[in-house]
Tab-separated table of all heavy atoms in Angstrom:
chain	number	residue	atom	x	y	z
A	236	MET	N	-2.273	-44.180	42.890
A	236	MET	CA	-1.359	-45.254	43.129
A	236	MET	C	-2.038	-46.364	43.924
A	236	MET	O	-1.830	-47.530	43.635
A	236	MET	CB	-0.136	-44.743	43.869
A	236	MET	CG	0.735	-43.842	43.033
A	236	MET	SD	2.012	-43.026	43.989
A	236	MET	CE	1.044	-41.686	44.647
A	237	ILE	N	-2.819	-45.970	44.914
A	237	ILE	CA	-3.495	-46.988	45.726
A	237	ILE	C	-4.565	-47.685	44.907
A	237	ILE	O	-4.673	-48.910	44.928
A	237	ILE	CB	-4.089	-46.363	47.002
A	237	ILE	CG1	-2.965	-45.869	47.903
A	237	ILE	CG2	-4.959	-47.377	47.746
A	237	ILE	CD1	-3.433	-45.053	49.078
A	238	SER	N	-5.347	-46.926	44.161
A	238	SER	CA	-6.411	-47.545	43.367
A	238	SER	C	-5.847	-48.409	42.248
A	238	SER	O	-6.500	-49.337	41.791
A	238	SER	CB	-7.355	-46.489	42.801
A	238	SER	OG	-6.672	-45.631	41.926
A	239	ALA	N	-4.622	-48.137	41.817
A	239	ALA	CA	-3.960	-48.961	40.808
A	239	ALA	C	-3.205	-50.127	41.454
A	239	ALA	O	-2.528	-50.881	40.758
A	239	ALA	CB	-2.998	-48.123	39.978
A	240	ASP	N	-3.327	-50.258	42.768
A	240	ASP	CA	-2.684	-51.315	43.541
A	240	ASP	C	-1.159	-51.263	43.419
A	240	ASP	O	-0.486	-52.273	43.278
A	240	ASP	CB	-3.222	-52.688	43.147
A	240	ASP	CG	-3.067	-53.705	44.267
A	240	ASP	OD1	-2.916	-53.286	45.424
A	240	ASP	OD2	-3.083	-54.911	43.977
A	241	GLN	N	-0.624	-50.040	43.463
A	241	GLN	CA	0.824	-49.818	43.433
A	241	GLN	C	1.205	-48.848	44.550
A	241	GLN	O	1.513	-47.682	44.298
A	241	GLN	CB	1.245	-49.260	42.076
A	241	GLN	CG	0.982	-50.204	40.941
A	241	GLN	CD	1.421	-49.633	39.612
A	241	GLN	OE1	1.798	-48.478	39.509
A	241	GLN	NE2	1.376	-50.462	38.593
A	242	PRO	N	1.180	-49.310	45.805
A	242	PRO	CA	1.418	-48.387	46.916
A	242	PRO	C	2.874	-47.972	47.122
A	242	PRO	O	3.133	-47.020	47.839
A	242	PRO	CB	0.910	-49.171	48.130
A	242	PRO	CG	1.093	-50.601	47.743
A	242	PRO	CD	0.848	-50.647	46.247
A	243	GLU	N	3.824	-48.656	46.489
A	243	GLU	CA	5.239	-48.360	46.740
A	243	GLU	C	5.621	-46.908	46.439
A	243	GLU	O	6.320	-46.285	47.240
A	243	GLU	CB	6.143	-49.320	45.953
A	243	GLU	CG	6.036	-50.765	46.394
A	243	GLU	CD	4.839	-51.489	45.793
A	243	GLU	OE1	4.267	-51.005	44.800
A	243	GLU	OE2	4.466	-52.534	46.338
A	244	PRO	N	5.186	-46.319	45.305
A	244	PRO	CA	5.561	-44.925	45.045
A	244	PRO	C	4.916	-43.931	46.006
A	244	PRO	O	5.282	-42.766	46.044
A	244	PRO	CB	5.069	-44.670	43.619
A	244	PRO	CG	4.783	-45.992	43.028
A	244	PRO	CD	4.518	-46.922	44.159
A	245	MET	N	3.978	-44.418	46.809
A	245	MET	CA	3.273	-43.549	47.741
A	245	MET	C	4.228	-42.936	48.758
A	245	MET	O	3.970	-41.845	49.271
A	245	MET	CB	2.183	-44.361	48.447
A	245	MET	CG	1.224	-43.540	49.252
A	245	MET	SD	-0.081	-44.557	49.932
A	245	MET	CE	0.667	-45.064	51.461
A	246	THR	N	5.331	-43.582	49.049
A	246	THR	CA	6.291	-43.067	50.031
A	246	THR	C	6.738	-41.661	49.661
A	246	THR	O	6.697	-40.754	50.487
A	246	THR	CB	7.508	-44.007	50.134
A	246	THR	OG1	7.062	-45.297	50.518
A	246	THR	CG2	8.511	-43.494	51.145
A	247	PHE	N	7.148	-41.471	48.433
A	247	PHE	CA	7.607	-40.153	47.999
A	247	PHE	C	6.489	-39.127	48.102
A	247	PHE	O	6.666	-38.037	48.657
A	247	PHE	CB	8.125	-40.208	46.553
A	247	PHE	CG	8.360	-38.843	45.977
A	247	PHE	CD1	9.504	-38.139	46.304
A	247	PHE	CD2	7.429	-38.254	45.134
A	247	PHE	CE1	9.721	-36.868	45.780
A	247	PHE	CE2	7.634	-36.993	44.614
A	247	PHE	CZ	8.788	-36.295	44.937
A	248	HIS	N	5.328	-39.470	47.570
A	248	HIS	CA	4.228	-38.508	47.504
A	248	HIS	C	3.661	-38.181	48.882
A	248	HIS	O	3.319	-37.024	49.149
A	248	HIS	CB	3.136	-39.035	46.575
A	248	HIS	CG	3.597	-39.151	45.159
A	248	HIS	ND1	3.777	-38.052	44.349
A	248	HIS	CD2	3.943	-40.231	44.430
A	248	HIS	CE1	4.213	-38.453	43.159
A	248	HIS	NE2	4.326	-39.771	43.189
A	249	LEU	N	3.595	-39.163	49.762
A	249	LEU	CA	3.099	-38.905	51.111
A	249	LEU	C	4.084	-38.034	51.885
A	249	LEU	O	3.668	-37.101	52.584
A	249	LEU	CB	2.838	-40.223	51.841
A	249	LEU	CG	2.228	-40.120	53.235
A	249	LEU	CD1	0.933	-39.324	53.219
A	249	LEU	CD2	1.988	-41.509	53.800
A	250	ASN	N	5.365	-38.299	51.745
A	250	ASN	CA	6.366	-37.436	52.394
A	250	ASN	C	6.269	-36.015	51.878
A	250	ASN	O	6.333	-35.053	52.648
A	250	ASN	CB	7.776	-37.986	52.170
A	250	ASN	CG	8.193	-38.935	53.251
A	250	ASN	OD1	8.131	-38.615	54.430
A	250	ASN	ND2	8.623	-40.118	52.851
A	251	ARG	N	6.109	-35.868	50.586
A	251	ARG	CA	6.010	-34.530	49.989
A	251	ARG	C	4.766	-33.799	50.482
A	251	ARG	O	4.822	-32.613	50.805
A	251	ARG	CB	5.984	-34.676	48.458
A	251	ARG	CG	6.007	-33.402	47.728
A	251	ARG	CD	7.383	-32.803	47.790
A	251	ARG	NE	7.424	-31.748	46.799
A	251	ARG	CZ	8.382	-30.883	46.717
A	251	ARG	NH1	9.406	-30.976	47.520
A	251	ARG	NH2	8.362	-29.946	45.819
A	252	ALA	N	3.645	-34.518	50.546
A	252	ALA	CA	2.400	-33.912	51.036
A	252	ALA	C	2.555	-33.480	52.490
A	252	ALA	O	2.103	-32.387	52.878
A	252	ALA	CB	1.244	-34.892	50.886
A	253	MET	N	3.226	-34.307	53.287
A	253	MET	CA	3.421	-33.958	54.689
A	253	MET	C	4.412	-32.803	54.844
A	253	MET	O	4.278	-31.996	55.764
A	253	MET	CB	3.835	-35.188	55.483
A	253	MET	CG	2.702	-36.213	55.544
A	253	MET	SD	3.101	-37.689	56.471
A	253	MET	CE	2.777	-37.081	58.134
A	254	ASP	N	5.372	-32.702	53.937
A	254	ASP	CA	6.270	-31.540	53.932
A	254	ASP	C	5.495	-30.259	53.670
A	254	ASP	O	5.877	-29.183	54.127
A	254	ASP	CB	7.353	-31.687	52.857
A	254	ASP	CG	8.398	-32.727	53.198
A	254	ASP	OD1	8.476	-33.141	54.374
A	254	ASP	OD2	9.131	-33.142	52.269
A	255	ASN	N	4.412	-30.376	52.950
A	255	ASN	CA	3.598	-29.214	52.586
A	255	ASN	C	2.400	-29.017	53.509
A	255	ASN	O	1.494	-28.247	53.178
A	255	ASN	CB	3.129	-29.335	51.137
A	255	ASN	CG	4.268	-29.087	50.183
A	255	ASN	OD1	4.920	-28.056	50.240
A	255	ASN	ND2	4.522	-30.040	49.302
A	256	GLY	N	2.372	-29.721	54.644
A	256	GLY	CA	1.370	-29.433	55.655
A	256	GLY	C	0.323	-30.491	55.923
A	256	GLY	O	-0.506	-30.311	56.802
A	257	LEU	N	0.315	-31.583	55.179
A	257	LEU	CA	-0.646	-32.649	55.454
A	257	LEU	C	-0.315	-33.287	56.792
A	257	LEU	O	0.834	-33.644	57.043
A	257	LEU	CB	-0.619	-33.706	54.351
A	257	LEU	CG	-1.607	-34.860	54.501
A	257	LEU	CD1	-3.028	-34.364	54.224
A	257	LEU	CD2	-1.262	-35.997	53.563
A	258	MET	N	-1.297	-33.399	57.648
A	258	MET	CA	-1.103	-33.995	58.967
A	258	MET	C	-1.360	-35.502	58.899
A	258	MET	O	-2.087	-35.972	58.028
A	258	MET	CB	-2.049	-33.357	59.982
A	258	MET	CG	-1.922	-31.848	60.087
A	258	MET	SD	-0.294	-31.304	60.625
A	258	MET	CE	-0.303	-31.855	62.302
A	259	GLN	N	-0.767	-36.245	59.832
A	259	GLN	CA	-0.936	-37.692	59.856
A	259	GLN	C	-2.410	-38.065	59.976
A	259	GLN	O	-2.867	-39.004	59.321
A	259	GLN	CB	-0.146	-38.283	61.018
A	259	GLN	CG	-0.244	-39.790	61.106
A	259	GLN	CD	0.648	-40.367	62.185
A	259	GLN	OE1	1.583	-39.724	62.637
A	259	GLN	NE2	0.359	-41.569	62.592
A	260	GLU	N	-3.158	-37.354	60.791
A	260	GLU	CA	-4.580	-37.643	60.965
A	260	GLU	C	-5.344	-37.432	59.658
A	260	GLU	O	-6.256	-38.190	59.335
A	260	GLU	CB	-5.177	-36.760	62.062
A	260	GLU	CG	-4.605	-37.020	63.441
A	260	GLU	CD	-3.252	-36.344	63.667
A	260	GLU	OE1	-2.893	-35.410	62.911
A	260	GLU	OE2	-2.535	-36.782	64.581
A	261	GLU	N	-4.972	-36.405	58.916
A	261	GLU	CA	-5.619	-36.137	57.633
A	261	GLU	C	-5.293	-37.230	56.618
A	261	GLU	O	-6.156	-37.663	55.861
A	261	GLU	CB	-5.176	-34.779	57.083
A	261	GLU	CG	-5.633	-33.611	57.916
A	261	GLU	CD	-4.991	-32.299	57.499
A	261	GLU	OE1	-3.804	-32.306	57.107
A	261	GLU	OE2	-5.684	-31.280	57.578
A	262	ALA	N	-4.052	-37.682	56.620
A	262	ALA	CA	-3.649	-38.757	55.704
A	262	ALA	C	-4.419	-40.036	56.023
A	262	ALA	O	-4.870	-40.742	55.121
A	262	ALA	CB	-2.145	-38.992	55.789
A	263	GLY	N	-4.575	-40.324	57.307
A	263	GLY	CA	-5.351	-41.488	57.711
A	263	GLY	C	-6.801	-41.386	57.280
A	263	GLY	O	-7.406	-42.366	56.829
A	264	ALA	N	-7.363	-40.204	57.393
A	264	ALA	CA	-8.745	-39.988	56.962
A	264	ALA	C	-8.877	-40.163	55.452
A	264	ALA	O	-9.882	-40.704	54.968
A	264	ALA	CB	-9.215	-38.598	57.380
A	265	LYS	N	-7.869	-39.733	54.719
A	265	LYS	CA	-7.881	-39.916	53.258
A	265	LYS	C	-7.861	-41.388	52.897
A	265	LYS	O	-8.542	-41.824	51.980
A	265	LYS	CB	-6.687	-39.215	52.606
A	265	LYS	CG	-6.605	-37.746	52.830
A	265	LYS	CD	-7.455	-37.001	51.871
A	265	LYS	CE	-7.230	-35.504	52.068
A	265	LYS	NZ	-8.390	-34.736	51.732
A	266	LEU	N	-7.064	-42.172	53.631
A	266	LEU	CA	-7.019	-43.609	53.367
A	266	LEU	C	-8.377	-44.250	53.647
A	266	LEU	O	-8.847	-45.082	52.865
A	266	LEU	CB	-5.935	-44.273	54.212
A	266	LEU	CG	-4.499	-44.020	53.791
A	266	LEU	CD1	-3.531	-44.570	54.830
A	266	LEU	CD2	-4.216	-44.610	52.426
A	267	SER	N	-9.004	-43.862	54.752
A	267	SER	CA	-10.330	-44.407	55.068
A	267	SER	C	-11.342	-44.045	53.999
A	267	SER	O	-12.145	-44.877	53.576
A	267	SER	CB	-10.815	-43.880	56.418
A	267	SER	OG	-9.977	-44.310	57.444
A	268	HIS	N	-11.313	-42.811	53.556
A	268	HIS	CA	-12.234	-42.349	52.521
A	268	HIS	C	-11.994	-43.093	51.207
A	268	HIS	O	-12.935	-43.515	50.540
A	268	HIS	CB	-12.055	-40.845	52.329
A	268	HIS	CG	-13.030	-40.233	51.390
A	268	HIS	ND1	-14.321	-39.951	51.754
A	268	HIS	CD2	-12.907	-39.866	50.105
A	268	HIS	CE1	-14.957	-39.424	50.725
A	268	HIS	NE2	-14.113	-39.356	49.712
A	269	LEU	N	-10.730	-43.274	50.867
A	269	LEU	CA	-10.373	-43.951	49.621
A	269	LEU	C	-10.798	-45.414	49.622
A	269	LEU	O	-11.091	-45.986	48.572
A	269	LEU	CB	-8.867	-43.832	49.378
A	269	LEU	CG	-8.323	-44.361	48.071
A	269	LEU	CD1	-8.984	-43.673	46.887
A	269	LEU	CD2	-6.826	-44.170	48.012
A	270	ALA	N	-10.852	-46.015	50.794
A	270	ALA	CA	-11.225	-47.433	50.887
A	270	ALA	C	-12.608	-47.688	50.301
A	270	ALA	O	-12.850	-48.740	49.707
A	270	ALA	CB	-11.175	-47.890	52.337
A	271	PHE	N	-13.502	-46.739	50.443
A	271	PHE	CA	-14.854	-46.914	49.916
A	271	PHE	C	-14.898	-46.818	48.390
A	271	PHE	O	-15.821	-47.327	47.767
A	271	PHE	CB	-15.809	-45.892	50.535
A	271	PHE	CG	-16.082	-46.168	51.980
A	271	PHE	CD1	-15.396	-45.483	52.962
A	271	PHE	CD2	-17.001	-47.133	52.344
A	271	PHE	CE1	-15.635	-45.741	54.306
A	271	PHE	CE2	-17.248	-47.411	53.685
A	271	PHE	CZ	-16.563	-46.704	54.661
A	272	TYR	N	-13.912	-46.159	47.802
A	272	TYR	CA	-13.887	-45.993	46.354
A	272	TYR	C	-12.972	-47.010	45.662
A	272	TYR	O	-13.314	-47.531	44.614
A	272	TYR	CB	-13.452	-44.575	45.993
A	272	TYR	CG	-14.477	-43.553	46.397
A	272	TYR	CD1	-14.357	-42.846	47.589
A	272	TYR	CD2	-15.586	-43.317	45.605
A	272	TYR	CE1	-15.314	-41.938	47.975
A	272	TYR	CE2	-16.546	-42.408	45.983
A	272	TYR	CZ	-16.411	-41.715	47.169
A	272	TYR	OH	-17.368	-40.822	47.557
A	273	ALA	N	-11.811	-47.250	46.236
A	273	ALA	CA	-10.833	-48.145	45.609
A	273	ALA	C	-10.953	-49.574	46.123
A	273	ALA	O	-10.491	-50.498	45.465
A	273	ALA	CB	-9.421	-47.628	45.857
A	274	GLY	N	-11.522	-49.722	47.298
A	274	GLY	CA	-11.660	-51.043	47.901
A	274	GLY	C	-10.747	-51.196	49.100
A	274	GLY	O	-9.617	-50.708	49.106
A	275	TRP	N	-11.273	-51.866	50.099
A	275	TRP	CA	-10.522	-52.062	51.335
A	275	TRP	C	-9.226	-52.834	51.132
A	275	TRP	O	-8.204	-52.472	51.735
A	275	TRP	CB	-11.409	-52.738	52.389
A	275	TRP	CG	-12.463	-51.812	52.902
A	275	TRP	CD1	-13.755	-51.725	52.471
A	275	TRP	CD2	-12.306	-50.813	53.903
A	275	TRP	NE1	-14.403	-50.739	53.160
A	275	TRP	CE2	-13.551	-50.164	54.052
A	275	TRP	CE3	-11.242	-50.409	54.703
A	275	TRP	CZ2	-13.750	-49.135	54.962
A	275	TRP	CZ3	-11.442	-49.379	55.611
A	275	TRP	CH2	-12.690	-48.760	55.734
A	276	PRO	N	-9.198	-53.892	50.313
A	276	PRO	CA	-7.924	-54.620	50.149
A	276	PRO	C	-6.790	-53.742	49.623
A	276	PRO	O	-5.638	-53.891	50.041
A	276	PRO	CB	-8.266	-55.733	49.155
A	276	PRO	CG	-9.728	-55.953	49.331
A	276	PRO	CD	-10.294	-54.587	49.618
A	277	LYS	N	-7.105	-52.826	48.730
A	277	LYS	CA	-6.055	-51.958	48.187
A	277	LYS	C	-5.538	-50.997	49.250
A	277	LYS	O	-4.336	-50.723	49.319
A	277	LYS	CB	-6.569	-51.210	46.970
A	277	LYS	CG	-6.786	-52.144	45.798
A	277	LYS	CD	-7.235	-51.413	44.571
A	277	LYS	CE	-7.415	-52.422	43.447
A	277	LYS	NZ	-7.873	-51.805	42.231
A	278	VAL	N	-6.437	-50.498	50.075
A	278	VAL	CA	-6.001	-49.600	51.146
A	278	VAL	C	-5.216	-50.366	52.203
A	278	VAL	O	-4.214	-49.867	52.720
A	278	VAL	CB	-7.209	-48.853	51.751
A	278	VAL	CG1	-6.805	-48.086	52.994
A	278	VAL	CG2	-7.795	-47.896	50.721
A	279	PHE	N	-5.644	-51.594	52.511
A	279	PHE	CA	-4.902	-52.393	53.476
A	279	PHE	C	-3.487	-52.679	52.981
A	279	PHE	O	-2.557	-52.772	53.786
A	279	PHE	CB	-5.617	-53.701	53.791
A	279	PHE	CG	-6.776	-53.540	54.731
A	279	PHE	CD1	-7.931	-54.277	54.558
A	279	PHE	CD2	-6.725	-52.651	55.788
A	279	PHE	CE1	-8.999	-54.136	55.420
A	279	PHE	CE2	-7.787	-52.503	56.664
A	279	PHE	CZ	-8.926	-53.251	56.480
A	280	SER	N	-3.286	-52.804	51.679
A	280	SER	CA	-1.932	-53.020	51.170
A	280	SER	C	-1.106	-51.733	51.219
A	280	SER	O	0.123	-51.791	51.238
A	280	SER	CB	-1.959	-53.585	49.747
A	280	SER	OG	-2.442	-52.639	48.834
A	281	ALA	N	-1.755	-50.585	51.257
A	281	ALA	CA	-1.050	-49.304	51.331
A	281	ALA	C	-0.754	-48.881	52.766
A	281	ALA	O	0.130	-48.056	52.998
A	281	ALA	CB	-1.873	-48.217	50.645
A	282	MET	N	-1.461	-49.446	53.720
A	282	MET	CA	-1.287	-49.027	55.113
A	282	MET	C	0.128	-49.251	55.656
A	282	MET	O	0.643	-48.380	56.360
A	282	MET	CB	-2.341	-49.684	55.988
A	282	MET	CG	-3.720	-49.114	55.725
A	282	MET	SD	-5.009	-49.940	56.648
A	282	MET	CE	-4.871	-49.082	58.190
A	283	PRO	N	0.802	-50.365	55.333
A	283	PRO	CA	2.187	-50.500	55.822
A	283	PRO	C	3.120	-49.425	55.260
A	283	PRO	O	4.039	-48.979	55.955
A	283	PRO	CB	2.609	-51.891	55.342
A	283	PRO	CG	1.338	-52.628	55.132
A	283	PRO	CD	0.338	-51.596	54.713
A	284	VAL	N	2.873	-49.006	54.045
A	284	VAL	CA	3.688	-47.941	53.448
A	284	VAL	C	3.463	-46.642	54.208
A	284	VAL	O	4.408	-45.938	54.576
A	284	VAL	CB	3.362	-47.767	51.946
A	284	VAL	CG1	4.141	-46.613	51.354
A	284	VAL	CG2	3.643	-49.052	51.190
A	285	ALA	N	2.196	-46.329	54.466
A	285	ALA	CA	1.875	-45.113	55.215
A	285	ALA	C	2.452	-45.191	56.624
A	285	ALA	O	3.016	-44.212	57.122
A	285	ALA	CB	0.367	-44.912	55.261
A	286	ARG	N	2.330	-46.318	57.271
A	286	ARG	CA	2.872	-46.497	58.620
A	286	ARG	C	4.374	-46.252	58.642
A	286	ARG	O	4.893	-45.595	59.537
A	286	ARG	CB	2.554	-47.881	59.166
A	286	ARG	CG	3.104	-48.094	60.572
A	286	ARG	CD	2.750	-49.445	61.153
A	286	ARG	NE	1.315	-49.496	61.386
A	286	ARG	CZ	0.503	-50.437	60.886
A	286	ARG	NH1	0.995	-51.408	60.146
A	286	ARG	NH2	-0.783	-50.419	61.134
A	287	GLN	N	5.059	-46.768	57.635
A	287	GLN	CA	6.513	-46.571	57.552
A	287	GLN	C	6.854	-45.093	57.427
A	287	GLN	O	7.783	-44.610	58.068
A	287	GLN	CB	7.078	-47.358	56.370
A	287	GLN	CG	8.566	-47.245	56.223
A	287	GLN	CD	9.065	-47.977	54.987
A	287	GLN	OE1	8.333	-48.175	54.024
A	287	GLN	NE2	10.314	-48.363	55.014
A	288	VAL	N	6.108	-44.372	56.615
A	288	VAL	CA	6.339	-42.937	56.459
A	288	VAL	C	6.083	-42.219	57.779
A	288	VAL	O	6.885	-41.389	58.213
A	288	VAL	CB	5.464	-42.348	55.329
A	288	VAL	CG1	5.525	-40.820	55.327
A	288	VAL	CG2	5.892	-42.905	53.985
A	289	PHE	N	4.971	-42.547	58.439
A	289	PHE	CA	4.639	-41.894	59.713
A	289	PHE	C	5.716	-42.151	60.755
A	289	PHE	O	6.120	-41.246	61.478
A	289	PHE	CB	3.288	-42.378	60.228
A	289	PHE	CG	2.116	-42.053	59.338
A	289	PHE	CD1	0.991	-42.844	59.368
A	289	PHE	CD2	2.137	-40.982	58.452
A	289	PHE	CE1	-0.102	-42.568	58.555
A	289	PHE	CE2	1.060	-40.696	57.634
A	289	PHE	CZ	-0.067	-41.496	57.686
A	290	GLU	N	6.189	-43.385	60.844
A	290	GLU	CA	7.210	-43.733	61.823
A	290	GLU	C	8.536	-43.058	61.518
A	290	GLU	O	9.235	-42.605	62.433
A	290	GLU	CB	7.391	-45.248	61.908
A	290	GLU	CG	6.228	-45.954	62.560
A	290	GLU	CD	6.339	-47.467	62.534
A	290	GLU	OE1	7.278	-48.002	61.890
A	290	GLU	OE2	5.455	-48.121	63.124
A	291	SER	N	8.885	-42.966	60.249
A	291	SER	CA	10.152	-42.319	59.905
A	291	SER	C	10.117	-40.822	60.177
A	291	SER	O	11.139	-40.222	60.507
A	291	SER	CB	10.504	-42.571	58.432
A	291	SER	OG	9.650	-41.853	57.579
A	292	ARG	N	8.944	-40.225	60.095
A	292	ARG	CA	8.818	-38.792	60.351
A	292	ARG	C	8.693	-38.492	61.841
A	292	ARG	O	8.905	-37.358	62.244
A	292	ARG	CB	7.640	-38.232	59.582
A	292	ARG	CG	7.856	-38.306	58.074
A	292	ARG	CD	6.678	-37.736	57.325
A	292	ARG	NE	6.595	-36.295	57.478
A	292	ARG	CZ	7.201	-35.423	56.674
A	292	ARG	NH1	7.934	-35.839	55.669
A	292	ARG	NH2	7.060	-34.129	56.866
A	293	ALA	N	8.363	-39.485	62.643
A	293	ALA	CA	8.230	-39.273	64.076
A	293	ALA	C	9.596	-39.123	64.753
A	293	ALA	O	9.692	-38.562	65.818
A	293	ALA	CB	7.471	-40.426	64.716
A	294	ASN	N	10.627	-39.620	64.104
A	294	ASN	CA	11.980	-39.558	64.701
A	294	ASN	C	12.669	-38.301	64.418
A	294	ASN	O	12.703	-37.403	63.995
A	294	ASN	CB	12.829	-40.722	64.184
A	294	ASN	CG	12.252	-42.050	64.630
A	294	ASN	OD1	11.646	-42.127	65.689
A	294	ASN	ND2	12.440	-43.068	63.838
């Protein structure tokens, strides 16, 4: 989704991954790793989506 420059559906998949044990730090590391393959601009557009998921799960 990120490499296709469509970060919106990421909300569902990131929540599901975190329900199954993915930690916030691991998700952040995945985004950093993906930036080298998909490009930094695409990851920067996905970061607000990830931030929203992290903040909603913190409550």
Side-chain angles (χ1 to χ4, degrees):
M236 291 170 278
I237 294 171
S238 63
D240 205 20
Q241 297 181 352
E243 295 82 17
M245 190 176 88
T246 301
F247 169 79
H248 295 286
L249 184 55
N250 270 307
R251 185 74 166 169
M253 293 180 82
D254 288 345
N255 287 305
L257 182 72
M258 304 298 291
Q259 181 175 341
E260 295 80 18
E261 294 170 324
K265 301 277 185 209
L266 287 172
S267 297
H268 185 78
L269 186 58
F271 290 98
Y272 292 97
W275 289 96
K277 291 183 179 179
V278 171
F279 282 142
S280 68
M282 289 176 83
V284 177
R286 180 178 292 125
Q287 181 183 25
V288 170
F289 297 154
E290 289 175 353
S291 71
R292 294 180 70 89
N294 296 329

